[in-house]
Amino acid sequence: MSPTDFIMPYFVLEGAKEPKEIASLEGVSQHSLSSLIKDVRECYESGIKAVIIFGIPANKDLMGSGAYARDGVVQTAAREIRDHFGDDIVVFADLCLDEYTDHGHCGLIDQSGRVDNDSTLELYQKIAISQAEAGVHFVAPSGMMDGQVKAIRSALDESGFDEVGVLAYAVKYASGLYGPFRDAVNVQIVGGGDRKGYQQDFRNSRESLREVRLDVSEGADMVMVKPAVTYLDVIAQVRELVEIPVCAYHVSGEYAMIKAASNLGWIDGDAVALEQMYAIKRAGADVIISYFAKEIVSSL
Ligand code: PBG
Protein backbone atom coordinates (compact mmCIF):
# COMPACT_ATOMS: atom_id res chain seq x y z
CA MET A 1 0.00 0.00 0.00
CA SER A 2 1.30 3.45 -0.80
CA PRO A 3 0.10 7.06 -0.42
CA THR A 4 -1.02 7.12 -4.04
CA ASP A 5 -3.63 4.45 -3.23
CA PHE A 6 -5.64 7.07 -1.38
CA ILE A 7 -8.10 9.81 -2.23
CA MET A 8 -8.53 12.33 0.59
CA PRO A 9 -12.08 13.65 1.06
CA TYR A 10 -12.66 17.34 1.75
CA PHE A 11 -15.74 19.29 2.82
CA VAL A 12 -15.90 22.92 1.79
CA LEU A 13 -18.35 25.35 3.37
CA GLU A 14 -19.47 28.17 1.12
CA GLY A 15 -18.48 31.58 2.44
CA ALA A 16 -16.61 30.21 5.47
CA LYS A 17 -13.83 32.38 6.84
CA GLU A 18 -12.51 29.74 9.23
CA PRO A 19 -12.58 25.93 9.16
CA LYS A 20 -15.24 24.37 11.40
CA GLU A 21 -14.71 21.06 13.19
CA ILE A 22 -17.31 18.35 12.57
CA ALA A 23 -18.25 16.88 15.94
CA SER A 24 -18.96 13.34 14.72
CA LEU A 25 -15.90 13.24 12.45
CA GLU A 26 -13.00 14.01 14.73
CA GLY A 27 -10.14 15.66 12.90
CA VAL A 28 -12.23 16.45 9.82
CA SER A 29 -13.46 19.98 9.13
CA GLN A 30 -15.78 21.97 6.96
CA HIS A 31 -13.14 24.03 5.21
CA SER A 32 -12.86 27.60 4.12
CA LEU A 33 -11.07 28.06 0.80
CA SER A 34 -7.82 29.05 2.47
CA SER A 35 -7.85 26.23 5.03
CA LEU A 36 -8.65 23.85 2.17
CA ILE A 37 -5.59 24.86 0.21
CA LYS A 38 -3.41 24.62 3.29
CA ASP A 39 -4.66 21.13 4.07
CA VAL A 40 -4.41 19.94 0.46
CA ARG A 41 -0.80 21.11 0.45
CA GLU A 42 -0.05 19.00 3.54
CA CYS A 43 -1.78 16.11 1.86
CA TYR A 44 0.30 16.56 -1.26
CA GLU A 45 3.49 16.74 0.76
CA SER A 46 2.58 13.47 2.47
CA GLY A 47 2.46 11.78 -0.93
CA ILE A 48 -1.30 11.66 -1.52
CA LYS A 49 -2.07 12.81 -5.03
CA ALA A 50 -5.86 12.83 -5.19
CA VAL A 51 -8.72 14.59 -3.42
CA ILE A 52 -12.50 14.44 -3.62
CA ILE A 53 -14.51 17.55 -2.84
CA PHE A 54 -17.94 17.78 -1.22
CA GLY A 55 -19.67 21.13 -0.97
CA ILE A 56 -21.90 22.66 1.65
CA PRO A 57 -23.79 25.53 0.01
CA ALA A 58 -24.80 28.68 1.88
CA ASN A 59 -28.40 28.15 0.73
CA LYS A 60 -30.41 25.07 -0.16
CA ASP A 61 -33.48 25.04 -2.41
CA LEU A 62 -35.98 22.72 -4.04
CA MET A 63 -33.88 22.16 -7.18
CA GLY A 64 -30.47 22.08 -5.50
CA SER A 65 -29.36 24.93 -7.74
CA GLY A 66 -26.12 25.44 -5.80
CA ALA A 67 -24.92 22.14 -7.23
CA TYR A 68 -24.69 23.45 -10.78
CA ALA A 69 -23.99 27.14 -10.18
CA ARG A 70 -20.93 28.36 -12.07
CA ASP A 71 -19.65 29.91 -8.86
CA GLY A 72 -20.97 27.11 -6.64
CA VAL A 73 -18.93 25.96 -3.68
CA VAL A 74 -17.45 22.86 -5.34
CA GLN A 75 -16.76 24.73 -8.58
CA THR A 76 -14.98 27.50 -6.69
CA ALA A 77 -12.98 25.05 -4.59
CA ALA A 78 -11.99 23.04 -7.66
CA ARG A 79 -10.77 26.16 -9.47
CA GLU A 80 -8.76 27.14 -6.42
CA ILE A 81 -7.10 23.72 -6.15
CA ARG A 82 -6.33 23.65 -9.88
CA ASP A 83 -4.86 27.17 -9.66
CA HIS A 84 -2.53 26.07 -6.88
CA PHE A 85 -1.67 22.54 -7.93
CA GLY A 86 -2.32 22.28 -11.66
CA ASP A 87 -2.20 18.62 -12.62
CA ASP A 88 -0.10 17.57 -9.63
CA ILE A 89 -3.24 16.61 -7.72
CA VAL A 90 -6.11 14.71 -9.28
CA VAL A 91 -9.33 16.51 -8.42
CA PHE A 92 -12.51 14.47 -8.06
CA ALA A 93 -15.83 16.19 -7.36
CA ASP A 94 -18.74 14.46 -5.74
CA LEU A 95 -21.69 14.93 -8.08
CA CYS A 96 -24.99 14.85 -6.24
CA LEU A 97 -27.92 16.99 -5.17
CA ASP A 98 -28.54 16.05 -1.56
CA GLU A 99 -26.22 18.67 -0.08
CA TYR A 100 -28.02 21.32 -2.13
CA THR A 101 -31.71 20.43 -1.90
CA ASP A 102 -33.83 21.65 0.99
CA HIS A 103 -35.49 18.20 1.22
CA GLY A 104 -32.14 16.38 1.41
CA HIS A 105 -32.78 13.82 -1.33
CA CYS A 106 -30.21 13.00 -4.01
CA GLY A 107 -32.69 13.81 -6.76
CA LEU A 108 -35.63 16.00 -7.64
CA ILE A 109 -38.87 15.10 -5.95
CA ASP A 110 -42.30 15.07 -7.54
CA GLN A 111 -45.54 16.23 -5.92
CA SER A 112 -45.95 12.96 -4.05
CA GLY A 113 -42.46 13.37 -2.58
CA ARG A 114 -40.94 10.58 -4.68
CA VAL A 115 -37.56 11.04 -6.29
CA ASP A 116 -37.97 11.41 -10.05
CA ASN A 117 -35.12 9.56 -11.73
CA ASP A 118 -35.18 11.00 -15.23
CA SER A 119 -35.62 14.68 -14.49
CA THR A 120 -32.78 14.30 -11.99
CA LEU A 121 -30.50 13.08 -14.78
CA GLU A 122 -30.86 16.40 -16.60
CA LEU A 123 -29.63 18.23 -13.52
CA TYR A 124 -26.76 15.78 -13.08
CA GLN A 125 -25.70 16.70 -16.62
CA LYS A 126 -25.67 20.37 -15.69
CA ILE A 127 -23.66 19.66 -12.55
CA ALA A 128 -21.13 17.61 -14.54
CA ILE A 129 -20.58 20.36 -17.07
CA SER A 130 -20.20 23.06 -14.41
CA GLN A 131 -17.70 20.93 -12.52
CA ALA A 132 -15.77 20.17 -15.71
CA GLU A 133 -15.69 23.89 -16.54
CA ALA A 134 -14.19 24.44 -13.10
CA GLY A 135 -11.38 22.06 -13.99
CA VAL A 136 -12.11 18.80 -12.16
CA HIS A 137 -10.36 15.75 -13.57
CA PHE A 138 -13.13 13.37 -12.52
CA VAL A 139 -16.77 13.70 -11.60
CA ALA A 140 -18.07 11.17 -9.10
CA PRO A 141 -21.84 10.73 -9.30
CA SER A 142 -23.11 9.42 -5.96
CA GLY A 143 -26.87 9.79 -6.29
CA MET A 144 -27.59 6.27 -7.57
CA MET A 145 -30.08 7.32 -10.25
CA ASP A 146 -30.51 4.77 -13.04
CA GLY A 147 -28.67 5.80 -16.19
CA GLN A 148 -26.61 8.50 -14.47
CA VAL A 149 -23.27 7.46 -15.93
CA LYS A 150 -24.57 7.42 -19.49
CA ALA A 151 -26.28 10.79 -19.09
CA ILE A 152 -23.19 12.39 -17.59
CA ARG A 153 -20.78 10.83 -20.08
CA SER A 154 -22.77 12.05 -23.05
CA ALA A 155 -23.20 15.55 -21.61
CA LEU A 156 -19.46 15.82 -20.97
CA ASP A 157 -18.60 14.57 -24.45
CA GLU A 158 -21.04 16.91 -26.15
CA SER A 159 -19.56 19.87 -24.28
CA GLY A 160 -16.00 19.04 -25.27
CA PHE A 161 -15.01 17.48 -21.95
CA ASP A 162 -14.25 14.03 -23.28
CA GLU A 163 -11.11 13.90 -21.14
CA VAL A 164 -12.96 14.35 -17.87
CA GLY A 165 -13.42 10.94 -16.29
CA VAL A 166 -16.30 9.38 -14.41
CA LEU A 167 -15.77 7.62 -11.10
CA ALA A 168 -19.12 5.88 -10.73
CA TYR A 169 -20.54 5.15 -7.32
CA ALA A 170 -21.71 1.89 -8.85
CA VAL A 171 -22.38 -0.01 -5.65
CA LYS A 172 -23.84 2.05 -2.87
CA TYR A 173 -25.81 0.43 -0.13
CA ALA A 174 -28.50 2.17 1.89
CA SER A 175 -26.24 2.03 4.91
CA GLY A 176 -26.48 3.13 8.50
CA LEU A 177 -22.86 4.18 8.24
CA TYR A 178 -23.40 7.56 6.56
CA GLY A 179 -24.59 9.34 9.73
CA PRO A 180 -21.55 11.51 10.41
CA PHE A 181 -21.34 12.46 6.73
CA ARG A 182 -24.81 13.92 6.90
CA ASP A 183 -23.64 16.05 9.85
CA ALA A 184 -20.63 17.07 7.79
CA VAL A 185 -22.77 18.35 4.93
CA ASN A 186 -25.72 19.55 7.06
CA VAL A 187 -28.19 17.17 5.40
CA GLN A 188 -31.40 15.93 6.92
CA ILE A 189 -33.82 13.98 4.78
CA VAL A 190 -37.27 15.52 4.93
CA GLY A 191 -39.85 13.76 7.11
CA GLY A 192 -37.26 11.34 8.48
CA GLY A 193 -37.11 9.67 5.05
CA ASP A 194 -34.41 7.36 3.74
CA ARG A 195 -32.67 6.54 0.48
CA LYS A 196 -33.88 2.99 0.12
CA GLY A 197 -35.68 3.90 -3.11
CA TYR A 198 -32.37 4.52 -4.89
CA GLN A 199 -29.61 2.99 -2.78
CA GLN A 200 -29.13 -0.76 -2.50
CA ASP A 201 -30.51 -3.31 -0.05
CA PHE A 202 -27.71 -4.87 1.99
CA ARG A 203 -29.41 -8.26 1.84
CA ASN A 204 -28.65 -8.43 -1.87
CA SER A 205 -25.13 -8.86 -3.25
CA ARG A 206 -25.79 -9.93 -6.85
CA GLU A 207 -27.52 -6.65 -7.60
CA SER A 208 -24.12 -5.02 -7.11
CA LEU A 209 -22.65 -6.90 -10.03
CA ARG A 210 -25.54 -5.82 -12.21
CA GLU A 211 -25.02 -2.19 -11.17
CA VAL A 212 -21.31 -2.43 -11.96
CA ARG A 213 -21.86 -4.02 -15.38
CA LEU A 214 -24.34 -1.30 -16.25
CA ASP A 215 -22.02 1.51 -15.17
CA VAL A 216 -19.11 0.04 -17.13
CA SER A 217 -21.27 -0.30 -20.23
CA GLU A 218 -22.41 3.32 -19.78
CA GLY A 219 -18.79 4.53 -19.82
CA ALA A 220 -17.51 4.56 -16.22
CA ASP A 221 -13.72 4.90 -15.96
CA MET A 222 -13.58 3.65 -12.38
CA VAL A 223 -16.21 2.00 -10.21
CA MET A 224 -16.76 2.43 -6.52
CA VAL A 225 -18.04 0.17 -3.77
CA LYS A 226 -19.41 1.86 -0.68
CA PRO A 227 -19.21 1.37 2.30
CA ALA A 228 -15.99 -0.65 2.37
CA VAL A 229 -15.30 -2.91 5.34
CA THR A 230 -18.89 -4.12 5.62
CA TYR A 231 -18.82 -5.05 1.91
CA LEU A 232 -15.43 -6.68 1.37
CA ASP A 233 -17.15 -9.62 -0.34
CA VAL A 234 -18.63 -7.23 -2.87
CA ILE A 235 -15.28 -5.51 -3.47
CA ALA A 236 -13.72 -8.90 -4.18
CA GLN A 237 -16.47 -9.84 -6.63
CA VAL A 238 -16.30 -6.51 -8.42
CA ARG A 239 -12.53 -6.85 -8.71
CA GLU A 240 -13.06 -10.18 -10.52
CA LEU A 241 -15.66 -8.69 -12.82
CA VAL A 242 -14.00 -5.58 -14.24
CA GLU A 243 -10.68 -4.50 -15.71
CA ILE A 244 -10.98 -0.83 -14.77
CA PRO A 245 -9.84 0.47 -11.36
CA VAL A 246 -11.99 -0.37 -8.36
CA CYS A 247 -12.35 2.25 -5.66
CA ALA A 248 -13.67 1.61 -2.16
CA TYR A 249 -15.11 4.28 0.11
CA HIS A 250 -14.31 3.79 3.79
CA VAL A 251 -17.22 5.95 4.91
CA SER A 252 -17.84 8.36 7.74
CA GLY A 253 -19.41 5.81 10.09
CA GLU A 254 -16.53 3.41 9.59
CA TYR A 255 -14.12 6.20 10.50
CA ALA A 256 -16.18 7.48 13.44
CA MET A 257 -16.49 4.03 15.03
CA ILE A 258 -12.74 3.61 15.13
CA LYS A 259 -12.20 7.12 16.49
CA ALA A 260 -14.86 6.74 19.16
CA ALA A 261 -13.66 3.36 20.43
CA SER A 262 -10.10 4.58 20.33
CA ASN A 263 -10.95 7.67 22.38
CA LEU A 264 -12.51 5.42 25.01
CA GLY A 265 -9.27 3.47 25.13
CA TRP A 266 -11.02 0.32 23.93
CA ILE A 267 -9.00 -0.22 20.77
CA ASP A 268 -5.78 1.10 19.31
CA GLY A 269 -7.30 3.34 16.64
CA ASP A 270 -4.18 3.68 14.48
CA ALA A 271 -3.66 -0.07 14.41
CA VAL A 272 -7.28 -0.81 13.55
CA ALA A 273 -7.35 1.85 10.84
CA LEU A 274 -4.29 0.35 9.19
CA GLU A 275 -5.70 -3.15 9.50
CA GLN A 276 -8.94 -2.08 7.81
CA MET A 277 -7.13 -0.31 4.98
CA TYR A 278 -5.17 -3.46 4.28
CA ALA A 279 -8.35 -5.52 4.40
CA ILE A 280 -9.87 -3.25 1.74
CA LYS A 281 -6.74 -3.51 -0.35
CA ARG A 282 -6.61 -7.29 0.08
CA ALA A 283 -10.21 -7.55 -1.06
CA GLY A 284 -9.14 -5.96 -4.33
CA ALA A 285 -9.57 -2.19 -4.17
CA ASP A 286 -7.05 -0.21 -6.20
CA VAL A 287 -7.94 3.10 -4.62
CA ILE A 288 -9.42 3.97 -1.22
CA ILE A 289 -11.33 7.09 -0.24
CA SER A 290 -10.80 7.49 3.48
CA TYR A 291 -10.89 10.20 6.13
CA PHE A 292 -7.84 8.38 7.53
CA ALA A 293 -5.84 8.94 4.34
CA LYS A 294 -3.78 11.87 5.52
CA GLU A 295 -2.98 10.48 8.95
CA ILE A 296 -2.36 6.92 7.83
CA VAL A 297 0.19 7.49 5.10
CA SER A 298 2.86 8.42 7.63
CA SER A 299 2.70 4.88 9.00
CA LEU A 300 3.02 3.09 5.66
C1 PBG B 1 -24.45 11.46 -1.17
C2 PBG B 1 -23.30 10.90 -0.45
C3 PBG B 1 -23.31 10.33 0.83
C4 PBG B 1 -21.99 9.95 1.11
C5 PBG B 1 -21.21 10.31 0.02
N1 PBG B 1 -22.04 10.87 -0.95
C6 PBG B 1 -24.40 10.21 1.81
C7 PBG B 1 -25.63 9.49 1.54
O1 PBG B 1 -25.79 8.76 0.56
O2 PBG B 1 -26.52 9.67 2.37
C8 PBG B 1 -21.54 9.30 2.38
C9 PBG B 1 -20.07 9.25 2.63
C10 PBG B 1 -19.70 8.94 4.03
O3 PBG B 1 -20.51 8.51 4.87
O4 PBG B 1 -18.52 9.13 4.35
N2 PBG B 1 -24.14 12.69 -1.77
Side-chain angles (χ1 to χ4, degrees):
M1 199 152 63
S2 81
T4 53
D5 293 339
F6 289 96
I7 302 176
M8 181 72 197
Y10 282 103
F11 299 102
V12 189
L13 176 62
E14 187 165 34
K17 299 269 180 293
E18 298 284 328
K20 255 204 217 160
E21 281 268 332
I22 302 158
S24 53
L25 275 180
E26 188 194 319
V28 181
S29 300
Q30 295 179 335
H31 280 284
S32 66
L33 285 176
S34 64
S35 71
L36 173 73
I37 295 303
K38 183 168 166 278
D39 210 281
V40 172
R41 187 169 308 286
E42 288 166 14
C43 201
Y44 178 72
E45 281 161 6
S46 75
I48 297 170
K49 298 290 187 275
V51 298
I52 182 163
I53 325 169
F54 296 90
I56 305 123
N59 298 300
K60 301 180 190 244
D61 59 28
L62 188 64
M63 306 281 283
S65 60
Y68 46 89
R70 275 213 75 203
D71 58 352
V73 57
V74 161
Q75 290 79 358
T76 307
R79 281 197 184 91
E80 195 82 6
I81 297 176
R82 289 300 309 274
D83 280 353
H84 282 81
F85 301 95
D87 282 325
D88 290 342
I89 287 211
V90 182
V91 180
F92 292 78
D94 184 70
L95 190 167
C96 200
L97 282 171
D98 65 323
E99 295 92 345
Y100 304 89
T101 53
D102 50 17
H103 47 75
H105 275 295
C106 298
L108 292 177
I109 51 173
D110 62 20
Q111 273 154 1
S112 64
R114 279 171 60 103
V115 171
D116 186 69
N117 192 92
D118 292 4
S119 58
T120 300
L121 294 183
E122 291 171 27
L123 286 193
Y124 283 4
Q125 292 179 313
K126 286 172 76 161
I127 305 174
I129 292 167
S130 69
Q131 292 180 342
E133 282 169 352
V136 306
H137 298 97
F138 277 83
V139 296
S142 64
M144 294 303 279
M145 297 300 127
D146 292 337
Q148 62 183 11
V149 173
K150 186 170 176 211
I152 289 167
R153 181 72 271 158
S154 65
L156 288 172
D157 289 349
E158 279 160 25
S159 306
F161 294 115
D162 43 301
E163 291 195 4
V164 172
V166 178
L167 162 58
Y169 284 65
V171 179
K172 181 171 176 182
Y173 282 94
S175 170
L177 291 161
Y178 306 144
F181 176 92
R182 293 186 192 159
D183 292 343
V185 292
N186 308 340
V187 168
Q188 271 176 357
I189 307 176
V190 67
D194 59 47
R195 304 204 196 290
K196 290 181 183 166
Y198 40 102
Q199 298 182 354
Q200 291 168 237
D201 183 334
F202 56 73
R203 288 164 288 202
N204 188 337
S205 66
R206 260 175 283 167
E207 182 182 39
S208 293
L209 303 183
R210 205 168 77 225
E211 291 278 357
V212 167
R213 272 194 212 99
L214 275 168
D215 281 1
V216 172
S217 74
E218 291 181 20
D221 299 286
M222 299 170 73
V223 284
M224 175 136 67
V225 176
K226 174 183 173 184
V229 174
T230 322
Y231 298 92
L232 294 177
D233 57 325
V234 177
I235 296 174
Q237 290 177 64
V238 172
R239 173 69 289 159
E240 285 287 306
L241 184 70
V242 300
E243 292 81 31
I244 58 176
V246 175
C247 176
Y249 197 147
H250 188 261
V251 301
S252 59
E254 296 179 287
Y255 174 87
M257 288 193 292
I258 295 176
K259 285 287 180 189
S262 176
N263 286 339
L264 289 166
W266 292 350
I267 60 171
D268 174 344
D270 293 342
V272 174
L274 194 66
E275 186 177 341
Q276 293 200 356
M277 295 305 136
Y278 269 100
I280 297 166
K281 200 65 196 163
R282 219 172 49 232
D286 301 287
V287 200
I288 304 172
I289 301 180
S290 170
Y291 305 97
F292 279 115
K294 209 175 121 198
E295 61 178 277
I296 220 169
V297 293
S298 59
S299 55
L300 295 182

